[in-house]
Amino acid sequence: MIRFNEDRRRLLQALGATAALGSTSLLSGCATTGQGKTIGRVVVIGGGFGGATAAKYLRKWSNGTIDVVLIERQSHFISCPTSNEVLAGHRKYETLVHSYDGLRRNWGVKVIHAEVTGVDPVRHTVSTDKGEVIPYHRLVVSPGIDFNFGAVAGYDAKARESILHAWKAGPQTLALRQQLEDLRDGGTFVLSIPKAPYRCPPGPYERTSQIAHYFKTHKPKSKILVLDANDKIISKTKLFADNWAEDYKGIIEYRPNWNATEVDAASRTLTSEIGDKVRGDIINLIPPQTAGQIAHQAGVVNANNRWADVNWITLESTAVKDIHVLGDATLSAPTMPKSGHMANQHGKAAAAAIFETFSGHTPQPITMANTCYSLVDHRRAIHVDSVHRWDAEKKTVVPVPGSGGVSTAPSIEEGLYARAWAQNIWADSLG
């Protein structure tokens, strides 16, 4: 839910939205539209939930008067939300994969599949591995996360061939599923969770429930050992704990405060920071995370050398002018999760702020909502939701008192909602 002045938008469209920008030299390559003159160019790096949503809504809310270039290195969007179902055999991998054609066809977004090799915030240009140098007035950086493999000794390129994280949906999702299928009945699956913050707080715990259901149904002698660097289950705590105790007793063992600092791929052994060792038939090691590498290159990572701090009214970087940062790469506001739904909200907030700025107006404070569903078996789900509103005194967005909440228990009805949510957010971001 994004607060946006609809009357202002309609008025601007009626007037042709011809407000001038401070510099017009970069606009020489921008196309005009039938709705009016082009009022600016925005380059978006990253076509995930945040970047794709920003690209779509910049075109939609400006009635085509903002020229939008989306640069995404992958040929297709692959959804991390719902990918845990693929691991359990409850969903086909193909349902995670979506085209960018809707952005091209429906909204006129220019989609370029390339690797960004550099950002020049002085010249306002983006360079790609295809030799393109693309100018912008505003840049949106939505790169998701990258991994700090160096935080776990031994987690080198060779080890990563067999010790998978599967924390970016794609080939590793299929590879981890194959490891589960190949596991003997009676084998042990070890899941290592890093200290927060990381992408999708409930994700590892949903993965645990999903794989436990697979074991219970197909390999009842197998076990799951969850090694959590945090001191407790950090999302939907009681719901997951109750689910494991009631539905997967004897299958799941949970160990908090177990921070993996070393891996031996040959023996499939993890070592903790205090020297404890655990061996498993499958090691699913999720390493510590940081903002995607291009955010570091662009100079917007200014919090703990991991995350990008932003102005929460505009999502503009506090480090580099005219660059907006979205999604998992941001330094989260209080209690704000790194989720696909929240990245979608960031995309809309940034699109609204950029359009207001291009149109000569001051961006307004925002309100954002988040919902995270987790499937705990093949049919039932649980959820947590929240609402976040701008607080002028604290100069950030904070949870709205009394808003949001969690499920009382898993239900089939929520399972239906969870799958409908996925369809709806894919359509909203990409359609």
Side-chain angles (χ1 to χ4, degrees):
M1 177 173 61
I2 298 294
R3 176 182 168 186
F4 190 75
N5 191 325
E6 188 70 16
D7 290 338
R8 180 181 290 174
R9 182 172 72 85
R10 289 171 179 164
L11 175 62
L12 289 168
Q13 289 176 352
L15 295 174
T18 56
L21 290 168
S23 170
T24 59
S25 62
L26 294 177
L27 282 176
S28 59
C30 293
T32 58
T33 73
Q35 304 298 329
K37 294 181 179 180
T38 296
I39 61 173
R41 167 176 278 173
V42 178
V43 173
V44 180
I45 300 175
F49 285 105
T53 301
K56 171 182 173 177
Y57 279 88
L58 281 163
R59 293 289 292 173
K60 180 177 181 177
W61 283 339
S62 73
N63 204 17
T65 60
I66 296 177
D67 186 49
V68 179
V69 180
L70 173 64
I71 307 174
E72 166 56 45
R73 58 189 171 191
Q74 303 296 332
S75 62
H76 287 77
F77 172 99
I78 306 176
S79 179
C80 285
T82 75
S83 63
N84 283 329
E85 294 181 71
V86 174
L87 299 178
H90 299 152
R91 175 184 285 273
K92 296 291 187 182
Y93 174 80
E94 291 74 19
T95 65
L96 305 179
V97 182
H98 302 271
S99 170
Y100 289 102
D101 287 347
L103 295 181
R104 296 184 178 97
R105 179 179 60 251
N106 299 332
W107 304 106
V109 175
K110 182 180 180 182
V111 181
I112 298 173
H113 294 295
E115 185 88 23
V116 173
T117 56
V119 172
D120 188 330
V122 176
R123 292 186 173 87
H124 281 50
T125 60
V126 174
S127 302
T128 76
D129 60 353
K130 294 185 176 179
E132 297 166 298
V133 178
I134 305 168
Y136 67 84
H137 282 103
R138 293 277 172 159
L139 177 64
V140 173
V141 178
S142 189
I145 50 99
D146 275 331
F147 300 106
N148 181 9
F149 293 114
V152 183
Y155 206 15
D156 55 20
K158 180 64 176 177
R160 295 197 292 272
E161 293 176 6
S162 58
I163 307 297
L164 308 176
H165 55 77
W167 216 236
K168 291 185 179 181
Q172 285 211 6
T173 307
L174 293 171
L176 185 56
R177 171 59 184 171
Q178 189 62 56
Q179 288 186 351
L180 290 165
E181 290 180 345
D182 293 342
L183 181 70
R184 63 182 174 85
D185 188 9
T188 300
F189 175 89
V190 178
L191 173 60
S192 176
I193 304 171
K195 290 181 180 179
Y198 56 79
R199 164 180 281 176
C200 188
Y205 312 112
E206 178 193 55
R207 179 170 291 184
T208 299
S209 292
Q210 285 286 294
I211 293 174
H213 185 265
Y214 171 68
F215 284 170
K216 184 177 181 178
T217 306
H218 300 285
K219 300 184 179 184
K221 298 178 183 179
S222 296
K223 308 294 182 184
I224 300 174
L225 178 56
V226 180
L227 306 176
D228 195 344
N230 303 286
D231 61 2
K232 64 177 181 179
I233 299 169
I234 64 171
S235 179
K236 308 170 192 167
T237 307
K238 186 176 186 301
L239 287 166
F240 278 118
D242 289 349
N243 172 241
W244 296 352
E246 294 169 7
D247 294 337
Y248 305 122
K249 185 177 181 180
I251 297 176
I252 299 170
E253 178 184 346
Y254 176 75
R255 298 183 189 176
N257 298 307
W258 212 105
N259 184 30
T261 57
E262 185 177 351
V263 62
D264 185 322
S267 64
R268 296 189 296 278
T269 301
L270 289 174
T271 303
S272 77
E273 60 189 348
I274 61 172
D276 292 337
K277 294 183 181 294
V278 165
R279 184 191 176 282
D281 296 290
I282 299 173
I283 302 292
N284 180 201
L285 174 54
I286 305 170
Q289 294 152 37
T290 182
Q293 187 58 39
I294 193 61
H296 288 264
Q297 294 177 13
V300 297
V301 175
N302 60 342
N304 304 318
N305 199 34
R306 293 181 67 188
W307 312 110
D309 193 17
V310 299
N311 175 336
W312 283 105
I313 294 179
T314 63
L315 278 295
E316 186 174 1
S317 166
T318 59
V320 184
K321 184 176 173 54
D322 297 337
I323 299 181
H324 303 253
V325 189
L326 314 180
D328 297 342
T330 60
L331 175 66
S332 299
T335 76
M336 179 179 286
K338 295 183 183 295
S339 69
H341 194 130
M342 188 54 73
N344 169 274
Q345 297 282 279
H346 290 181
K348 292 176 182 176
I354 292 169
F355 178 49
E356 291 278 45
T357 300
F358 281 4
S359 303
H361 297 281
T362 301
Q364 300 300 303
I366 56 176
T367 297
M368 293 184 281
N370 179 75
T371 301
C372 289
Y373 285 99
S374 300
L375 271 292
V376 298
D377 56 30
H378 64 309
R379 299 179 69 191
R380 299 177 304 148
I382 54 180
H383 85 277
V384 60
D385 55 35
S386 55
V387 179
H388 306 259
R389 180 181 297 159
W390 174 255
D391 185 307
E393 183 178 344
K394 296 178 179 179
K395 297 187 185 305
T396 188
V397 288
V398 299
V400 176
S403 69
V406 297
S407 307
T408 56
S411 69
I412 294 174
E413 182 179 32
E414 287 217 49
L416 296 173
Y417 291 158
R419 290 186 170 119
W421 170 88
Q423 295 293 334
N424 288 336
I425 200 165
W426 293 334
D428 186 52
S429 299
L430 298 161

